[in-house]
Amino acid sequence: MTPDSAKLLQRIGTPLVFTLSLLPFILLVLQLLTDALGANPIEAFIRHNGEWGLRFLLLTLTMTPLRYVLKQSWPLRYRRMLGLFAFFYVCIHLSSYIVLDQFFDWAEIWADILKRPFITVGMTAFLLLIPLVVTSNKMMMKRLGRNWQRLHRLVYVIAVCAVLHYFWLVKADLYWPTVYAVLLLALFTIRIAKSHAQRTRIS
Amino acid sequence: MLIKKPATIKSSEITDEAIYLRRREFLQTSAGLGLLPFVKTAAAKTGASLQHVKNAKLSSSEKPTAYESITSYNNFYEFGTDKESPAKYANRLTTEPWSIVIDGAVNKPGRYQLEDILKPHTLEERIYRLRCVERWSMVVPWIGFSLADLIKRFEPTSKAKYVQFTTLYRPKEMIGQQRGVLNWPYVEGLRMDEAMHPLTMLAVGLYGKVMPNQNGAPIRLVVPWKYGYKSIKSIVKISFTEQEPPTTWNLSAPSEYGFYSNVNPQVDHPRWSQRKERRIGEFLRRDTLMFNGYADEVAHLYKGMDLRKYY
Ligand code: HEM
């Protein structure tokens, strides 16, 4: 990359990624309002937001490997924003479950969390995301030092929970959960290979 | 020289091609005019009207779900596992000619053409609730007749304790069957008394029209007090058996789907509660009713049975 194009990318990159990331949400809301989500719009809305949550989680996890592969640092600049968008979509997903699906039936929601394994792991994933969101700024990064990285490794646990959540909720067709599981596995493999290579280089 | 006449067909019997080509049109208009209760060609023509009488006694007074929703939101894994796929791909299915094999413990086994199966029956409209195991529900104005009336015609023997149904297996047209998501062909079954219950029907249409392919054309079962997957679609075989027949969803996940599959708000699916349902077209969920609201009619069939065990 030439210095000029790098500068340009830096300038427009952030607003571009931000807009693109928000686009699915805007489209979904428009579809919901114009009755374009099919015969069961509430289910479709919940599911689409859940899927975007998972996609953004995986996208976030892709940034570090992408840096190795491209030997460029720019992917890291978007990692935080993508992670926050993952949280954003999961929040919409969760709140539409609470409001649109259960309509504040707290007893039923609580029973779901305790009794339905797919909701239990989904909720675990959601709760684990909170400390990552809270510590996602530069100040917290500095304050936590090495612990910041340790803490943020939780994102792997979260991604595994999210994929499990998907596996446990489908009735028979495991195609899409399997696709996401394979992608996640690939991302893990790249990381492990990379850290292994680093370690051998050090020793 | 002897010229052999090949004519085993009299020329008067040979239909003029133009008329032959118009046979569809003729049959459709005759069906539309109510001249024929149901004709072969009409089966292939989604949207053609079916002559029928209304059965108010067996019908729910609830407002039927929109035709658009009933025909665009379907679980019919033979055409794909999401709700939109059946409406997209089911038009590939040829429903003509269609025959049904009747076999097992029955006096009149055989392969019967659909027209011959349907001929003696008066088509009725019955408005039934439909509750899917996935917690959504609809109200559907089916067109069909009691399964009991059909069963009697074929004279099951005393050995017939159960009825098994089989869906068509034709992966070229039913593209969902190209993947082994379920054990194909789809099979379902009923106990004999369930099959003979007056509510249990075979449907060939909905909303007064020929059954759309995505809803199980040309002929499907409707058992309104059981979860939707019991109501098997596009039936090609009806067998009378002594043993409880295997059923597809039970084979797929035995701990989640039993043979009976009666709608029951007190018995949860292992992965979700069955207490409530979303009626398609409504915002707030409503309470699910025992036997989908048909308890008065069917509860006696299960007297003394532990419905937690026989789910
Ligand atoms: C990191 C957190 C989460 C992620 C990434 C996630 C992702 C997903 C995905 C991918 C689906 C399937 C979408 C589809 O089938 O197309 C889904 C469905 C669903 N999720 Fe989540 N989810 C998360 C947390 C939660 C939480 C906390 C709850 C509720 C407490 C929840 C409730 C549901 C429900 C009710 C469904 C739909 C099930 C159905 O329609 O039958 N999820 N989610």
Side-chain angles (χ1 to χ4, degrees), chain A residues 84 87 129-137 139-141 144 148 151-152:
Chain A
L84 289 175
F87 184 66
L129 272 170
I130 295 173
L132 303 201
V133 170
V134 172
T135 60
S136 69
N137 52 50
M139 191 187 76
M140 287 308 261
M141 222 169 162
L144 291 173
W148 187 90
L151 178 67
H152 279 249

Side-chain angles (χ1 to χ4, degrees), chain A residues 43 46-55 57 86 90 93-94 97-98 101 109 112-113 118-119 121-126 129 158 161-163 165-166 169-170 180, chain B residues 134-135 272:
Chain A
E43 179 193 73
I46 295 175
R47 289 185 156 235
H48 284 309
N49 279 298
E51 252 172 274
W52 280 110
L54 181 54
R55 285 176 194 148
L57 267 178
V90 170
H93 179 62
L94 173 62
Y97 161 80
I98 293 172
D101 196 36
I109 293 169
D112 258 3
I113 293 172
F118 92 90
I119 300 270
V121 284
M123 207 61 203
T124 308
F126 171 74
L129 272 170
I158 294 166
C161 284
V163 171
H165 172 67
Y166 204 172
L169 72 90
V170 295
Y180 286 111
Chain B
E134 296 167 359
R135 298 182 296 176
W272 53 80

Side-chain angles (χ1 to χ4, degrees), chain B residues 100-106 117 146-167 186-197 200-202 220-223 225-226 229-232 235-248 259-260:
Chain B
I100 297 181
V101 171
I102 311 266
D103 67 8
V106 68
I117 295 223
S146 278
L147 173 65
D149 294 340
L150 177 128
I151 290 179
K152 284 178 211 148
R153 282 168 57 204
F154 295 98
E155 300 172 10
T157 68
S158 59
K159 277 195 177 154
K161 301 279 190 286
Y162 294 89
V163 191
Q164 177 176 33
F165 304 85
T166 308
T167 295
Y186 196 97
V187 286
E188 256 306 337
L190 294 173
R191 217 168 56 189
M192 202 61 183
D193 57 346
E194 298 176 320
M196 295 300 287
H197 193 281
T200 306
M201 74 187 289
L202 286 172
R220 65 169 288 171
L221 185 69
V222 179
V223 195
W225 71 91
K226 292 178 181 281
Y229 60 87
K230 291 294 286 184
S231 293
I232 185 171
I235 298 167
V236 292
K237 191 165 151 191
I238 301 176
S239 312
F240 295 86
T241 65
E242 202 167 2
Q243 306 297 326
E244 185 183 286
T247 61
T248 294
F259 175 78
Y260 287 93

Side-chain angles (χ1 to χ4, degrees), chain B residues 92-282:
Chain B
R92 303 182 185 196
L93 176 68
T94 11
T95 54
E96 183 206 346
W98 194 273
S99 60
I100 297 181
V101 171
I102 311 266
D103 67 8
V106 68
N107 284 332
K108 295 181 177 171
R111 177 186 287 275
Y112 297 89
Q113 290 307 308
L114 181 62
E115 312 79 271
D116 300 327
I117 295 223
L118 299 179
K119 220 174 276 164
H121 299 284
T122 306
L123 297 181
E124 295 179 355
E125 179 179 82
R126 301 181 183 184
I127 303 171
Y128 282 171
R129 288 177 290 276
L130 170 85
R131 168 61 155 83
C132 177
V133 74
E134 296 167 359
R135 298 182 296 176
W136 53 266
S137 65
M138 294 183 176
V139 178
V140 186
W142 301 108
I143 305 289
F145 53 93
S146 278
L147 173 65
D149 294 340
L150 177 128
I151 290 179
K152 284 178 211 148
R153 282 168 57 204
F154 295 98
E155 300 172 10
T157 68
S158 59
K159 277 195 177 154
K161 301 279 190 286
Y162 294 89
V163 191
Q164 177 176 33
F165 304 85
T166 308
T167 295
L168 177 71
Y169 178 68
R170 197 185 282 162
K172 268 202 180 132
E173 295 180 3
M174 298 179 130
I175 55 170
Q177 291 175 334
Q178 292 167 10
R179 290 176 52 216
V181 182
L182 293 171
N183 259 318
W184 310 117
Y186 196 97
V187 286
E188 256 306 337
L190 294 173
R191 217 168 56 189
M192 202 61 183
D193 57 346
E194 298 176 320
M196 295 300 287
H197 193 281
L199 279 171
T200 306
M201 74 187 289
L202 286 172
V204 293
L206 54 85
Y207 264 104
K209 294 176 190 157
V210 166
M211 189 70 78
N213 283 3
Q214 63 267 36
N215 294 86
I219 184 163
R220 65 169 288 171
L221 185 69
V222 179
V223 195
W225 71 91
K226 292 178 181 281
Y227 291 121
Y229 60 87
K230 291 294 286 184
S231 293
I232 185 171
K233 304 181 177 91
S234 305
I235 298 167
V236 292
K237 191 165 151 191
I238 301 176
S239 312
F240 295 86
T241 65
E242 202 167 2
Q243 306 297 326
E244 185 183 286
T247 61
T248 294
W249 277 102
N250 177 252
L251 293 173
S252 163
S255 62
E256 300 185 357
Y257 312 98
F259 175 78
Y260 287 93
S261 302
N262 293 314
V263 175
N264 187 341
Q266 275 123 46
V267 178
D268 286 347
H269 183 282
R271 291 184 284 157
W272 53 80
S273 156
Q274 294 291 21
R275 276 187 45 229
K276 292 190 174 186
E277 67 199 48
R278 169 159 294 109
R279 178 68 52 82
I280 295 301
E282 292 181 355

Side-chain angles (χ1 to χ4, degrees), chain B residues 191 193-194 197-199 225 291 294-305:
Chain B
R191 217 168 56 189
D193 57 346
E194 298 176 320
H197 193 281
L199 279 171
W225 71 91
F291 296 113
Y294 297 97
D296 288 348
E297 291 90 338
V298 303
H300 68 273
L301 298 175
Y302 309 102
K303 211 177 281 164
M305 279 174 71

Side-chain angles (χ1 to χ4, degrees), chain A residues 39-40 42-43 99-103 105 108 112 115-118 167-173 175, chain B residues 69 73 75 77 81 134 136 179 181 249 257 268-273 275-276 278 280 283-285:
Chain A
N40 196 346
I42 292 175
E43 179 193 73
V99 181
L100 304 178
D101 196 36
Q102 299 282 10
F103 200 67
D105 185 344
E108 193 79 347
D112 258 3
K115 274 166 76 178
R116 317 289 160 209
F118 92 90
F167 264 104
W168 286 344
L169 72 90
V170 295
K171 253 167 74 198
D173 187 356
Y175 182 84
Chain B
S69 297
Y73 187 78
N75 268 331
Y77 277 27
T81 54
E134 296 167 359
W136 53 266
R179 290 176 52 216
V181 182
W249 277 102
Y257 312 98
D268 286 347
H269 183 282
R271 291 184 284 157
W272 53 80
S273 156
R275 276 187 45 229
K276 292 190 174 186
R278 169 159 294 109
I280 295 301
F283 174 66
L284 287 181
R285 298 206 298 179

